[in-house]
Amino acid sequence: DSDGAQGAPCRDFNAVNNLPQPTQNCKNIVRSVHYDILHDGVNGIQSVEAYVTLTNQTKFHHQQFSYRSLWAFENWTEEPEKSGNPGYLVGKPVLSGQLIDSSEGAYIDTEVPHRVKISLFKSGAAGLCNFEDSTQRLTANFGEDVYVGCSVYRNRSQLSTRCQQLKHDSFKLLFGMDFDGIEDRYVATFGDSDVNKTGDWVKALLVNLPDYNVEEKLFEGRCNDVVTSLHIEVLFAHLGSLANPQKKIVGVAYKFGKPVDIIFKCIGIACNHRSKTQRIDFSMSVSFHSVTLPARPEFAAYPVLEAKFPHDFFYPFVSSSKDKLLLTTSFTVMIFIYHFVIFNVC
């Protein structure tokens, strides 16, 4: 189940023998089918691999079908995903992954689940938060600011007895990982950064990270210190010539919102009924900001012209071994020659 059907070998797909049957409420609907036909020319087709993507639809549905012919015994590997050459292109995915420190050297693993990458959650039907399946996420594309939101409903009893569960479920919804399993994320500075050059990747910073491991006292109809928002801020700069600047990511920060106390706001006996619920909103956003300094015109300094006579210009009227009297005499001779030339010209 993935959107990467065009790539092969496709690591994001799971091998199955049977597909789940579609339901009357439009679940397990085929969204895309891709075939890889492997052949060796003379003997014809050797095998066929089918990549099927299922989805749950509520209103509109779009299907896509494709195929590709490949040599069965050709030794080829999939090229790594690129989002620019070298600078990022607007609309291309922000490349991210995890740092792996192996015996052969450190590298960035980009073949990680979609939830580990720079992404945003998808809201479910009617704008409800899908805590059960937080793997369905939106890819963060370079230069595209996005804001998403969803809601959950809790009654008075659930708000207090399931407060800790609400915190962990909402954190996984926002960040994509469980709070107990946080791993560092690294983002490629350029659209074609090499995974083996870890210096070309920057670590995403976590700002105002909440502490959900602390057990708090239960309060009736209340859940304290819940983070309901997360903002991803991406800073980039233009490098190179003014005619063809290249976009480089220089920093990424996950900024968690200020924890809030969620209080069940209801007065009366009917508030204790299970059907009386309160809406809790969660939101997430990503924005891109240029930190490029404005270009300043600079010009080369004017050359310094030093006009000087050669050291033997007054030879033989004066030499280095003569005294100042001879130098004065030489100047007098030169003045005389100058007036003589002017007089003859006139």
Side-chain angles (χ1 to χ4, degrees):
D1 187 354
S2 173
D3 294 333
Q6 298 298 331
C10 188
R11 302 179 180 86
D12 292 339
F13 278 78
N14 298 322
V16 295
N17 295 324
N18 298 310
L19 295 176
Q21 295 294 324
T23 62
Q24 293 182 352
N25 55 351
C26 295
K27 290 186 177 181
N28 301 325
I29 303 298
V30 175
R31 181 171 60 183
S32 66
V33 179
H34 174 78
Y35 296 98
D36 279 346
I37 304 175
L38 284 76
H39 63 90
D40 63 355
V42 178
N43 297 322
I45 297 176
Q46 300 296 312
S47 63
V48 178
E49 297 178 353
Y51 299 92
V52 181
T53 302
L54 303 181
T55 185
N56 300 328
Q57 294 293 334
T58 55
K59 293 184 179 180
F60 303 101
H61 184 54
H62 173 75
Q63 290 182 318
Q64 180 179 359
F65 302 91
S66 60
Y67 78 93
R68 179 172 52 177
S69 298
L70 304 171
W71 288 96
F73 304 107
E74 184 177 0
N75 185 14
W76 61 277
T77 57
E78 181 184 8
E79 293 185 359
E81 182 183 15
K82 293 184 178 181
S83 295
N85 185 25
Y88 273 96
L89 298 177
V90 176
K92 291 293 185 178
V94 177
L95 304 182
S96 57
Q98 291 179 319
L99 177 64
I100 305 298
D101 192 5
S102 64
S103 58
E104 299 179 355
Y107 68 96
I108 302 297
D109 182 15
T110 58
E111 299 296 333
V112 293
H114 195 61
R115 59 182 176 81
V116 182
K117 298 184 178 182
I118 306 295
S119 58
L120 300 90
F121 67 78
K122 285 184 179 180
S123 59
L128 297 178
C129 299
N130 191 358
F131 286 159
E132 288 73 21
D133 185 12
S134 59
T135 59
Q136 298 294 328
R137 302 181 68 83
L138 299 171
T139 301
N141 296 327
F142 184 86
E144 296 180 355
D145 296 347
V146 180
Y147 180 90
V148 295
C150 65
S151 304
V152 295
Y153 291 85
R154 294 291 183 267
N155 57 35
R156 184 184 184 91
S157 176
Q158 293 173 338
L159 194 59
S160 55
T161 58
R162 300 182 183 179
C163 177
Q164 199 69 13
Q165 181 181 354
L166 176 63
K167 291 181 179 180
H168 284 268
D169 290 344
S170 60
F171 183 88
K172 185 177 181 180
L173 177 76
L174 296 172
F175 192 65
M177 299 182 188
D178 293 319
F179 183 81
D180 298 328
I182 297 178
E183 299 181 15
D184 293 333
R185 290 174 175 169
Y186 286 79
V187 180
T189 55
F190 288 105
D192 61 348
S193 294
D194 191 347
V195 295
N196 295 316
K197 297 180 180 178
T198 57
D200 290 342
W201 299 70
V202 294
K203 180 180 177 180
L205 303 179
L206 304 182
V207 182
N208 299 329
L209 181 67
D211 186 5
Y212 283 165
N213 287 328
V214 178
E215 291 289 343
E216 297 183 355
K217 184 179 179 180
L218 297 180
F219 296 93
E220 182 65 24
R222 186 185 185 113
C223 186
N224 295 331
D225 298 329
V226 180
V227 174
T228 60
S229 64
L230 173 61
H231 176 67
I232 306 175
E233 188 174 27
V234 181
L235 304 180
F236 68 94
H238 291 89
L239 303 180
S241 65
L242 293 176
N244 186 25
Q246 301 296 312
K247 300 177 180 65
K248 174 185 178 182
I249 292 179
V250 297
V252 178
Y254 280 75
K255 297 183 177 180
F256 292 88
K258 184 179 179 181
V260 297
D261 297 338
I262 302 176
I263 304 174
F264 193 81
K265 300 177 181 179
C266 183
I267 301 175
I269 301 177
C271 299
N272 295 326
H273 197 273
R274 292 182 178 180
S275 61
K276 192 64 175 180
T277 59
Q278 179 171 312
R279 189 182 72 181
I280 306 172
D281 298 328
F282 295 92
S283 63
M284 188 176 181
S285 59
V286 58
S287 62
F288 296 80
H289 303 280
S290 175
V291 294
T292 309
L293 296 177
R296 297 180 304 172
E298 295 186 1
F299 303 94
Y302 288 103
V304 179
L305 302 178
E306 296 183 359
K308 57 175 66 176
F309 295 120
H311 67 280
D312 59 347
F313 182 78
F314 294 107
Y315 180 84
F317 302 105
V318 64
S319 63
S320 59
S321 61
K322 300 296 181 180
D323 54 10
K324 293 182 179 180
L325 180 60
L326 293 177
L327 182 60
T328 304
T329 304
S330 64
F331 277 113
T332 305
V333 174
M334 290 299 299
I335 294 174
F336 173 77
I337 295 175
Y338 173 77
H339 283 285
F340 179 77
V341 172
I342 296 298
F343 178 77
N344 289 336
V345 173
C346 297

